[in-house]
Amino acid sequence: MLLKKKSTIISIALALILATAGGYYYFAIYHSVRDVFSISEYKEYTTAQGLFGGAEFVVIGSPIRDFEDREVLLKEREILMDGRPTSIMEYIVTRTGIHVEKVLKGPEEDAVDLKVIEPIGVKQTLKGKERYALAGYTAMKKGSQYIIFLSKNTSGQYSIINMQSGKFNLDGTDPDDFSGVNSGRKLSMFSELKRIYLED
């Protein structure tokens, strides 16, 4: 009888320990987000006129969904490394639906049901989520208004050009938009953009 009672208490204690450990893993590790920044080669524009001239399509609009609810496009492939198969990432980007308010350059018909490629994506791993951002890019926020500079990529999809300096928050609701290494240059470009292209 006493042995059965001890066995029950030990079983309950082990179950509580496992539940606590599982809960900790699920909430503190599996759902944690780690930023992974990578360098990217791209055509960089340092002036508003250069950026406007280099874009195929320029719109004013806002993302329709929260970043977590957008479609992530991820391509990986297997290679042999030290005789073992290893998965490497070719690309990770996010497809973002945009509600277009105004087209500043390019075909008006392309603004209908516009989806753009942002150079950022999140991948779930056993160690948590990894957010990959090219050249310090920060994702656009749902409901925030932006001027967005786009060109078609090799797949025929509109992609943001000039990385972090290829989108500019117009309504002041995205504090991350003017962060990063080149924030001074971006602010200068933004002032130039407002003066040349956004004054009615």
Side-chain angles (χ1 to χ4, degrees):
M1 180 75 163
L2 186 60
L3 187 60
K4 192 173 183 180
K5 204 176 211 184
K6 278 185 178 181
S7 175
T8 304
I9 291 172
I10 291 172
S11 295
I12 291 172
L14 282 174
L16 285 173
I17 290 170
L18 287 174
T20 302
Y24 174 78
Y25 168 76
Y26 183 75
F27 291 108
I29 296 173
Y30 189 75
H31 284 290
S32 65
V33 178
R34 182 174 65 94
D35 286 317
V36 180
F37 294 104
S38 61
I39 300 170
S40 177
E41 287 188 25
Y42 62 96
K43 179 158 178 62
E44 185 176 9
Y45 299 96
T46 58
T47 66
Q49 289 177 317
L51 181 59
F52 194 87
E56 295 175 25
F57 197 41
V58 182
V59 299
I60 293 175
S62 56
I64 298 167
R65 295 189 173 144
D66 287 321
F67 180 71
E68 297 78 21
D69 299 328
R70 299 177 198 166
E71 181 184 6
V72 174
L73 306 174
L74 168 67
K75 184 174 181 185
E76 295 179 308
R77 66 183 167 101
E78 294 279 324
I79 63 166
L80 284 178
M81 189 175 282
D82 297 328
R84 292 179 295 160
T86 303
S87 180
I88 64 165
M89 188 181 314
E90 288 190 20
Y91 64 80
I92 184 167
V93 294
T94 299
R95 184 179 292 149
T96 302
I98 301 292
H99 169 73
V100 176
E101 298 167 31
K102 185 176 183 180
V103 175
L104 300 177
K105 179 182 179 181
E108 295 269 342
E109 60 272 11
D110 285 2
V112 177
D113 196 31
L114 178 65
K115 290 183 176 46
V116 304
I117 301 298
E118 290 189 85
I120 188 170
V122 175
K123 177 184 175 185
Q124 180 69 60
T125 69
L126 292 175
K127 296 178 182 177
K129 295 178 182 178
E130 294 177 338
R131 182 173 35 221
Y132 291 86
L134 293 178
Y137 184 87
T138 59
M140 293 185 285
K141 310 274 188 274
K142 176 185 175 182
S144 293
Q145 185 187 53
Y146 299 86
I147 180 171
I148 310 166
F149 294 83
L150 305 158
S151 285
K152 287 191 176 177
N153 61 20
T154 55
S155 300
Q157 302 166 317
Y158 280 115
S159 296
I160 292 178
I161 62 171
N162 215 37
M163 297 299 168
Q164 184 70 357
S165 295
K167 58 163 178 82
F168 298 83
N169 181 232
L170 297 175
D171 58 7
T173 57
D174 183 358
D176 296 334
D177 192 51
F178 289 97
S179 64
V181 176
N182 296 323
S183 59
R185 184 182 319 147
K186 183 170 179 169
L187 283 168
S188 174
M189 288 176 71
F190 185 52
S191 295
E192 190 182 348
L193 281 169
K194 288 194 296 188
R195 183 176 47 80
I196 298 172
Y197 301 107
L198 300 177
E199 289 185 356
D200 291 322

